[in-house]
């Protein structure tokens, strides 16, 4: 039976570390890390995500500034807000909650987030830098970073291993593949047009599933001893009763855990890590700013 990688416990440890670091930054430099969250429209899931992120900020002593804009907000209005936040000294990180309403140009907005405040890591320049050998972007996106952190904190070697990533989205699949590559794994990326998927997944030492299909990866698709990171979050109603809806991953946990060496559960795996990485990126942004201020004062 597989070892269960307890993302909730690992994330709790990281949040406690961040809380200590935030207190130290305040005591030593008088700087309180600040995160601005921008929510456009009335998507209830997005509102919940933002609420959870702001609550997590409060718990570790990070200030959060919430901006809630109506669905009919124009590109210019949103751009103006992002520029204002970019110029503010008390805002170290800017998070624009996705998806934006369809009439807004998401890529243009994400590109307007200054790189040193891009704590979500979604500015296309930051994403692109992930793929440049020898370069590190100021910030890596949170969910992929959470996957790598889970491997690291579980003592799982990445270098030299064969990694297979299911999914090539800009927010999970592609960046996590680039991060594994930067850590010297040999990486294969699969997507909806990949033929003979199981023949590829069976070669994986490390398998990352990020496709959004409930229990897609079955026991016969993995080899014995694989390490599985399940990013998927899918709501299913097993008994056809909507009141009994529950969350499952992209991996059939019961089947795959029979032969895997280690596996993340859903919920309680990658999910809690995403917010922990956002908090850490915001702390890092504030720490870098404090160091710059110290240097400029000394000059
Ligand atoms: P997207 O829908 O943007 O991307 C899904 C990817 O999976 C695409 O690349 C798609 O291929 C590929 N795919 C779809 N069907 C198949 C298939 N049958 N075989 C192989 N590949 C397939 O999803 P996201 O990347 O945004 O999210 C993936 C999952 O991760 C979702 O369940 C989401 O809820 C979850 N998630 C969890 C987070 C967390 O904090 N734990 C954060 C973000 C996402 P193609 O490109 O060809 O269409």
């Amino acid at each position: 039976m597989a070892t269960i990688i307890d993302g909730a416990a690992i994330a709790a440890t990281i949040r406690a570390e961040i809380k200590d670091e935030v207190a130290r930054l305040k005591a030593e430099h008088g700087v309180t890390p600040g995160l601005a969250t921008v929510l456009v429209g009335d998507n209830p899931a997005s509102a919940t995500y933002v609420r959870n992120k702001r609550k997590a900020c409060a718990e570790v002593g990070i200030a959060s500034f919430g901006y809630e804009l109506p669905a009919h907000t124009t590109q210019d209005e949103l751009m103006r807000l992002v520029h204002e936040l970019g110029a503010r000294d008390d805002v170290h990180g800017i998070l624009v909650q996705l998806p934006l309403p369809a009439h807004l140009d998401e890529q243009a907005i994400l590109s307007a987030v200054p790189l040193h405040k891009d704590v979500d890591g979604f500015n296309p320049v930051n994403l692109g830098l992930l793929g440049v050998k020898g370069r590190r972007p100021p910030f890596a996106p949170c969910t992929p970073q959470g996957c790598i952190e889970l491997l690291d904190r579980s003592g799982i070697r990445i270098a030299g291993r064969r990694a297979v990533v299911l999914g090539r989205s800009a927010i999970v699949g592609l960046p996590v593949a680039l991060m594994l590559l930067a850590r010297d794994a040999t990486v294969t990326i699969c997507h909806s047009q990949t033929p003979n998927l199981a023949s590829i997944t069976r070669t994986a030492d490390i398998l990352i599933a990020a496709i959004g299909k409930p229990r897609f990866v079955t026991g016969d698709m993995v080899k014995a001893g694989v390490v599985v990171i399940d990013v998927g979050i899918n709501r299913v109603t097993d008994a056809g009763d909507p009141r009994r809806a529950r969350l499952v991953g992209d991996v059939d946990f019961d089947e795959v855990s029979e032969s895997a060496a280690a596996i993340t559960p859903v919920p309680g795996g990658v999910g809690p890590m995403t917010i922990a990485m956002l908090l850490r990126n915001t702390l890092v942004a504030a720490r870098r700013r404090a160091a710059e201020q110290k240097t400029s004062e000394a000059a």
Side-chain angles (χ1 to χ4, degrees):
M1 275 303 274
T3 301
I4 304 216
I5 300 176
D6 186 345
I10 294 174
T13 303
I14 294 171
R15 286 202 307 272
E17 291 165 8
I18 292 169
K19 191 173 180 178
D20 287 349
E21 293 283 318
V22 167
R24 190 167 320 134
L25 190 66
K26 280 184 198 170
E28 290 177 6
H29 297 276
V31 171
T32 300
L35 174 71
T37 60
V38 179
L39 175 64
V40 185
D42 35 30
N43 178 333
S46 293
T48 305
Y49 293 144
V50 168
R51 199 165 45 245
N52 289 343
K53 289 168 186 173
R54 296 194 64 199
K55 187 165 162 265
C57 281
E59 281 164 10
V60 298
I62 292 177
S64 72
F65 310 97
Y67 291 83
E68 291 178 17
L69 309 180
H72 56 76
T73 300
T74 65
Q75 183 82 9
D76 280 354
E77 286 166 338
L78 184 54
M79 215 48 144
R80 214 172 304 128
L81 173 61
V82 171
H83 285 141
E84 270 170 37
L85 296 171
R88 263 172 61 175
D89 269 343
D90 55 347
V91 171
H92 302 98
I94 301 172
L95 176 147
V96 179
Q97 184 64 44
L98 302 181
L100 290 172
H103 68 279
L104 295 170
D105 179 347
E106 208 162 87
Q107 287 305 311
I109 299 293
L110 294 176
S111 301
V113 175
L115 294 182
H116 63 286
K117 296 193 179 188
D118 181 31
V119 288
D120 242 353
F122 289 158
N123 183 313
V125 174
N126 266 339
L127 282 173
L129 283 173
L130 281 177
V132 182
K133 193 172 179 208
R135 291 285 302 274
R136 285 183 63 182
F139 297 105
C142 300
T143 301
Q145 210 184 129
C147 297
I148 303 287
E149 191 82 22
L150 284 176
L151 294 171
D152 284 345
R153 292 204 182 221
S154 305
I156 292 158
R157 180 170 56 84
I158 298 174
R161 312 289 294 279
R162 178 173 274 275
V164 173
V165 177
L166 299 184
R168 58 175 162 181
S169 76
I171 62 166
V172 192
L174 186 62
V176 84
L178 293 173
M179 292 171 85
L180 290 163
L181 191 61
R183 293 283 300 272
D184 296 330
T186 300
V187 183
T188 304
I189 305 175
C190 301
H191 46 76
S192 68
Q193 306 306 308
T194 303
N196 301 325
L197 198 78
S199 68
I200 301 171
T201 54
R202 269 187 226 116
T203 66
D205 301 317
I206 297 172
L207 178 66
I208 313 257
I211 58 177
K213 299 259 181 289
R215 303 190 192 102
F216 180 88
V217 178
T218 45
D220 58 337
M221 292 172 70
V222 298
K223 71 173 180 189
V226 64
V227 172
V228 178
I229 304 290
D230 188 354
V231 185
I233 301 178
N234 309 289
R235 189 171 289 276
V236 293
T237 47
D238 281 337
D241 176 356
R243 284 169 306 177
R244 294 178 59 196
R246 62 192 187 98
L247 297 181
V248 299
D250 289 346
V251 175
D252 186 322
F253 182 88
D254 292 340
E255 280 191 16
V256 171
S257 58
E258 292 279 323
S259 51
I263 186 168
T264 59
V266 176
V270 177
M273 293 297 286
T274 299
I275 291 187
M277 295 299 103
L278 173 69
L279 300 175
R280 189 166 73 187
N281 279 352
T282 306
L283 166 66
V284 167
R287 218 196 258 141
R288 286 182 188 152
R289 180 78 189 121
E292 274 167 22
Q293 277 168 335
K294 206 168 161 199
T295 312
S296 64
E297 279 163 22

